[in-house]
Short mmCIF file of all heavy atoms in Angstrom, two decimals:
data_model
loop_
_atom_site.label_atom_id
_atom_site.label_comp_id
_atom_site.label_asym_id
_atom_site.label_seq_id
_atom_site.Cartn_x
_atom_site.Cartn_y
_atom_site.Cartn_z
N VAL M 23 -64.28 119.69 62.17
CA VAL M 23 -63.87 119.33 60.81
C VAL M 23 -62.58 120.03 60.40
O VAL M 23 -62.10 119.84 59.28
CB VAL M 23 -64.98 119.63 59.78
CG1 VAL M 23 -66.20 118.78 60.06
CG2 VAL M 23 -65.34 121.11 59.75
N VAL M 24 -61.99 120.84 61.28
CA VAL M 24 -60.72 121.48 60.97
C VAL M 24 -59.62 120.41 60.98
O VAL M 24 -59.48 119.66 61.94
CB VAL M 24 -60.38 122.58 62.01
CG1 VAL M 24 -58.95 123.08 61.82
CG2 VAL M 24 -61.37 123.72 61.89
N ALA M 25 -58.86 120.37 59.90
CA ALA M 25 -57.83 119.34 59.76
C ALA M 25 -56.41 119.89 59.92
O ALA M 25 -55.48 119.14 60.26
CB ALA M 25 -57.96 118.64 58.41
N VAL M 26 -56.20 121.18 59.67
CA VAL M 26 -54.85 121.75 59.74
C VAL M 26 -54.41 121.93 61.19
O VAL M 26 -55.26 121.96 62.10
CB VAL M 26 -54.78 123.11 59.00
CG1 VAL M 26 -55.05 122.94 57.53
CG2 VAL M 26 -55.75 124.11 59.64
N PRO M 27 -53.12 122.08 61.44
CA PRO M 27 -52.63 122.34 62.81
C PRO M 27 -53.19 123.65 63.36
O PRO M 27 -53.39 124.62 62.62
CB PRO M 27 -51.11 122.40 62.64
CG PRO M 27 -50.84 121.62 61.38
CD PRO M 27 -52.00 121.88 60.49
N VAL M 28 -53.41 123.67 64.68
CA VAL M 28 -53.99 124.83 65.35
C VAL M 28 -53.12 125.25 66.53
O VAL M 28 -52.78 124.43 67.39
CB VAL M 28 -55.41 124.51 65.87
CG1 VAL M 28 -55.98 125.71 66.65
CG2 VAL M 28 -56.34 124.12 64.73
N HIS M 29 -52.75 126.51 66.55
CA HIS M 29 -52.07 127.12 67.71
C HIS M 29 -53.10 128.01 68.40
O HIS M 29 -53.72 128.87 67.76
CB HIS M 29 -50.88 127.95 67.23
CG HIS M 29 -50.03 128.52 68.33
ND1 HIS M 29 -50.32 129.72 68.95
CD2 HIS M 29 -48.89 128.06 68.91
CE1 HIS M 29 -49.40 129.97 69.86
NE2 HIS M 29 -48.52 128.98 69.86
N TYR M 30 -53.29 127.83 69.69
CA TYR M 30 -54.35 128.54 70.41
C TYR M 30 -53.81 129.08 71.73
O TYR M 30 -53.24 128.35 72.52
CB TYR M 30 -55.52 127.59 70.68
CG TYR M 30 -56.64 128.19 71.52
CD1 TYR M 30 -57.30 129.34 71.12
CD2 TYR M 30 -57.05 127.57 72.70
CE1 TYR M 30 -58.32 129.88 71.88
CE2 TYR M 30 -58.09 128.09 73.47
CZ TYR M 30 -58.71 129.25 73.06
OH TYR M 30 -59.74 129.78 73.81
N ARG M 31 -53.97 130.40 71.92
CA ARG M 31 -53.57 131.02 73.17
C ARG M 31 -54.68 131.93 73.68
O ARG M 31 -55.29 132.68 72.93
CB ARG M 31 -52.29 131.85 72.99
CG ARG M 31 -51.05 131.03 72.75
CD ARG M 31 -50.67 130.19 73.96
NE ARG M 31 -49.42 129.46 73.76
CZ ARG M 31 -49.35 128.24 73.23
NH1 ARG M 31 -50.46 127.64 72.82
NH2 ARG M 31 -48.19 127.64 73.10
N GLN M 32 -54.92 131.86 74.97
CA GLN M 32 -55.82 132.79 75.65
C GLN M 32 -55.03 133.55 76.71
O GLN M 32 -54.11 133.00 77.34
CB GLN M 32 -56.98 132.05 76.31
CG GLN M 32 -58.12 131.67 75.35
CD GLN M 32 -58.82 132.89 74.81
OE1 GLN M 32 -58.33 133.52 73.87
NE2 GLN M 32 -59.96 133.24 75.37
N ALA M 33 -55.41 134.81 76.91
CA ALA M 33 -54.73 135.64 77.89
C ALA M 33 -55.22 135.33 79.30
O ALA M 33 -56.40 135.05 79.52
CB ALA M 33 -54.96 137.11 77.57
N GLU M 34 -54.31 135.40 80.24
CA GLU M 34 -54.65 135.14 81.65
C GLU M 34 -55.74 136.10 82.13
O GLU M 34 -56.64 135.71 82.87
CB GLU M 34 -53.41 135.31 82.52
CG GLU M 34 -53.67 135.11 84.00
CD GLU M 34 -52.43 135.35 84.86
OE1 GLU M 34 -51.40 135.80 84.30
OE2 GLU M 34 -52.51 135.09 86.08
N PHE M 35 -55.68 137.36 81.66
CA PHE M 35 -56.62 138.37 82.12
C PHE M 35 -57.57 138.81 81.01
O PHE M 35 -57.80 140.00 80.82
CB PHE M 35 -55.85 139.59 82.67
CG PHE M 35 -54.90 139.25 83.78
CD1 PHE M 35 -53.54 139.29 83.57
CD2 PHE M 35 -55.37 138.90 85.03
CE1 PHE M 35 -52.65 138.97 84.59
CE2 PHE M 35 -54.50 138.58 86.07
CZ PHE M 35 -53.14 138.62 85.85
N ASP M 36 -58.10 137.85 80.29
CA ASP M 36 -59.05 138.16 79.21
C ASP M 36 -60.41 138.48 79.84
O ASP M 36 -61.00 137.64 80.52
CB ASP M 36 -59.17 136.98 78.25
CG ASP M 36 -59.83 137.37 76.93
OD1 ASP M 36 -60.89 138.03 76.97
OD2 ASP M 36 -59.29 137.03 75.87
N HIS M 37 -60.90 139.70 79.58
CA HIS M 37 -62.18 140.11 80.17
C HIS M 37 -63.36 139.83 79.25
O HIS M 37 -64.51 140.04 79.66
CB HIS M 37 -62.15 141.61 80.48
CG HIS M 37 -61.07 142.00 81.44
ND1 HIS M 37 -60.99 141.49 82.72
CD2 HIS M 37 -60.02 142.85 81.30
CE1 HIS M 37 -59.94 142.00 83.33
NE2 HIS M 37 -59.33 142.83 82.49
N LEU M 38 -63.11 139.34 78.04
CA LEU M 38 -64.20 139.08 77.09
C LEU M 38 -64.58 137.60 77.03
O LEU M 38 -65.64 137.26 76.50
CB LEU M 38 -63.80 139.57 75.69
CG LEU M 38 -63.57 141.08 75.57
CD1 LEU M 38 -63.15 141.44 74.16
CD2 LEU M 38 -64.82 141.85 75.96
N TRP M 39 -63.71 136.74 77.55
CA TRP M 39 -63.99 135.30 77.56
C TRP M 39 -63.59 134.72 78.90
O TRP M 39 -62.60 135.16 79.50
CB TRP M 39 -63.21 134.58 76.44
CG TRP M 39 -63.54 135.08 75.08
CD1 TRP M 39 -62.83 135.98 74.33
CD2 TRP M 39 -64.71 134.76 74.31
NE1 TRP M 39 -63.48 136.23 73.13
CE2 TRP M 39 -64.63 135.49 73.09
CE3 TRP M 39 -65.80 133.92 74.52
CZ2 TRP M 39 -65.60 135.40 72.10
CZ3 TRP M 39 -66.77 133.82 73.53
CH2 TRP M 39 -66.66 134.56 72.34
N VAL M 40 -64.34 133.74 79.35
CA VAL M 40 -63.96 133.02 80.56
C VAL M 40 -62.74 132.18 80.23
O VAL M 40 -62.78 131.33 79.33
CB VAL M 40 -65.11 132.14 81.07
CG1 VAL M 40 -64.64 131.29 82.26
CG2 VAL M 40 -66.32 132.99 81.45
N THR M 41 -61.64 132.44 80.91
CA THR M 41 -60.38 131.77 80.61
C THR M 41 -59.81 131.10 81.84
O THR M 41 -59.54 131.75 82.86
CB THR M 41 -59.34 132.78 80.07
OG1 THR M 41 -59.84 133.38 78.88
CG2 THR M 41 -58.03 132.09 79.76
N ASP M 42 -59.66 129.79 81.75
CA ASP M 42 -58.98 129.02 82.78
C ASP M 42 -58.52 127.72 82.12
O ASP M 42 -58.86 127.45 80.96
CB ASP M 42 -59.90 128.75 83.98
CG ASP M 42 -61.20 128.06 83.62
OD1 ASP M 42 -61.17 127.13 82.77
OD2 ASP M 42 -62.26 128.44 84.16
N PRO M 43 -57.70 126.91 82.79
CA PRO M 43 -57.19 125.70 82.15
C PRO M 43 -58.28 124.79 81.59
O PRO M 43 -58.10 124.18 80.53
CB PRO M 43 -56.40 125.01 83.27
CG PRO M 43 -55.94 126.14 84.13
CD PRO M 43 -57.08 127.13 84.12
N SER M 44 -59.42 124.71 82.27
CA SER M 44 -60.47 123.80 81.81
C SER M 44 -61.13 124.30 80.52
O SER M 44 -61.39 123.51 79.60
CB SER M 44 -61.53 123.59 82.89
OG SER M 44 -62.20 124.80 83.19
N THR M 45 -61.38 125.61 80.42
CA THR M 45 -62.00 126.13 79.19
C THR M 45 -61.05 126.02 78.01
O THR M 45 -61.47 125.73 76.89
CB THR M 45 -62.45 127.59 79.37
OG1 THR M 45 -61.31 128.41 79.69
CG2 THR M 45 -63.49 127.72 80.46
N VAL M 46 -59.76 126.24 78.25
CA VAL M 46 -58.77 126.10 77.17
C VAL M 46 -58.68 124.65 76.72
O VAL M 46 -58.59 124.35 75.53
CB VAL M 46 -57.40 126.63 77.62
CG1 VAL M 46 -56.30 126.28 76.62
CG2 VAL M 46 -57.46 128.14 77.83
N GLU M 47 -58.74 123.73 77.68
CA GLU M 47 -58.68 122.31 77.34
C GLU M 47 -59.89 121.88 76.53
O GLU M 47 -59.76 121.18 75.51
CB GLU M 47 -58.59 121.48 78.63
CG GLU M 47 -58.54 119.98 78.41
CD GLU M 47 -57.25 119.50 77.78
OE1 GLU M 47 -56.27 120.29 77.73
OE2 GLU M 47 -57.20 118.34 77.34
N VAL M 48 -61.08 122.29 76.94
CA VAL M 48 -62.29 121.94 76.21
C VAL M 48 -62.25 122.52 74.79
O VAL M 48 -62.60 121.85 73.82
CB VAL M 48 -63.55 122.43 76.96
CG1 VAL M 48 -64.78 122.29 76.08
CG2 VAL M 48 -63.72 121.65 78.26
N PHE M 49 -61.83 123.77 74.69
CA PHE M 49 -61.73 124.42 73.38
C PHE M 49 -60.78 123.64 72.48
O PHE M 49 -61.10 123.33 71.32
CB PHE M 49 -61.24 125.86 73.55
CG PHE M 49 -61.37 126.73 72.34
CD1 PHE M 49 -62.49 127.53 72.16
CD2 PHE M 49 -60.38 126.76 71.38
CE1 PHE M 49 -62.61 128.35 71.04
CE2 PHE M 49 -60.48 127.57 70.26
CZ PHE M 49 -61.60 128.37 70.09
N SER M 50 -59.62 123.30 72.98
CA SER M 50 -58.61 122.62 72.15
C SER M 50 -59.06 121.23 71.75
O SER M 50 -58.78 120.77 70.63
CB SER M 50 -57.27 122.56 72.89
OG SER M 50 -57.35 121.75 74.05
N GLN M 51 -59.77 120.54 72.63
CA GLN M 51 -60.22 119.18 72.32
C GLN M 51 -61.34 119.16 71.28
O GLN M 51 -61.67 118.10 70.74
CB GLN M 51 -60.70 118.49 73.60
CG GLN M 51 -59.56 118.11 74.54
CD GLN M 51 -60.05 117.39 75.78
OE1 GLN M 51 -61.25 117.31 76.05
NE2 GLN M 51 -59.12 116.86 76.55
N SER M 52 -61.91 120.32 70.98
CA SER M 52 -62.95 120.39 69.96
C SER M 52 -62.41 120.15 68.56
O SER M 52 -63.16 119.78 67.65
CB SER M 52 -63.64 121.76 70.00
OG SER M 52 -64.24 121.99 71.27
N PHE M 53 -61.08 120.33 68.39
CA PHE M 53 -60.46 120.13 67.07
C PHE M 53 -60.08 118.65 66.93
O PHE M 53 -58.91 118.26 66.99
CB PHE M 53 -59.24 121.03 66.93
CG PHE M 53 -59.58 122.50 66.96
CD1 PHE M 53 -59.48 123.23 68.14
CD2 PHE M 53 -60.00 123.15 65.81
CE1 PHE M 53 -59.80 124.58 68.18
CE2 PHE M 53 -60.33 124.50 65.83
CZ PHE M 53 -60.23 125.22 67.02
N ARG M 54 -61.08 117.84 66.69
CA ARG M 54 -60.91 116.39 66.72
C ARG M 54 -60.07 115.85 65.57
O ARG M 54 -59.42 114.82 65.68
CB ARG M 54 -62.28 115.70 66.71
CG ARG M 54 -63.21 116.14 67.82
CD ARG M 54 -64.60 115.55 67.63
NE ARG M 54 -65.57 116.17 68.51
CZ ARG M 54 -66.87 115.94 68.45
NH1 ARG M 54 -67.35 115.10 67.53
NH2 ARG M 54 -67.71 116.54 69.29
N GLN M 55 -60.10 116.53 64.44
CA GLN M 55 -59.39 116.03 63.26
C GLN M 55 -58.13 116.81 62.94
O GLN M 55 -57.44 116.51 61.97
CB GLN M 55 -60.32 116.05 62.04
CG GLN M 55 -61.55 115.18 62.16
CD GLN M 55 -62.34 115.13 60.87
OE1 GLN M 55 -61.80 114.94 59.79
NE2 GLN M 55 -63.65 115.31 60.99
N SER M 56 -57.82 117.80 63.76
CA SER M 56 -56.64 118.61 63.50
C SER M 56 -55.37 117.77 63.60
O SER M 56 -55.24 116.91 64.48
CB SER M 56 -56.55 119.76 64.50
OG SER M 56 -55.36 120.48 64.35
N ALA M 57 -54.43 118.05 62.71
CA ALA M 57 -53.17 117.32 62.71
C ALA M 57 -52.38 117.55 63.99
O ALA M 57 -51.63 116.68 64.44
CB ALA M 57 -52.33 117.75 61.50
#
């Protein structure tokens, strides 16, 4: 339901979250209504 623009960055060596191109893509696609 977020409608405003979203800038999202994850660190290559983030030890608190699983970070790879697929997880970043899934996360970003969750903002279905974002401008």
Side-chain angles (χ1 to χ4, degrees):
V23 297
V24 171
V26 296
V28 177
H29 185 274
Y30 176 57
R31 290 293 184 271
Q32 280 294 81
E34 178 183 7
F35 303 109
D36 196 311
H37 300 301
L38 297 178
W39 300 99
V40 175
T41 300
D42 56 41
S44 64
T45 60
V46 170
E47 179 69 13
V48 170
F49 193 94
S50 65
Q51 288 182 350
S52 300
F53 296 96
R54 304 173 192 172
Q55 298 186 47
S56 174

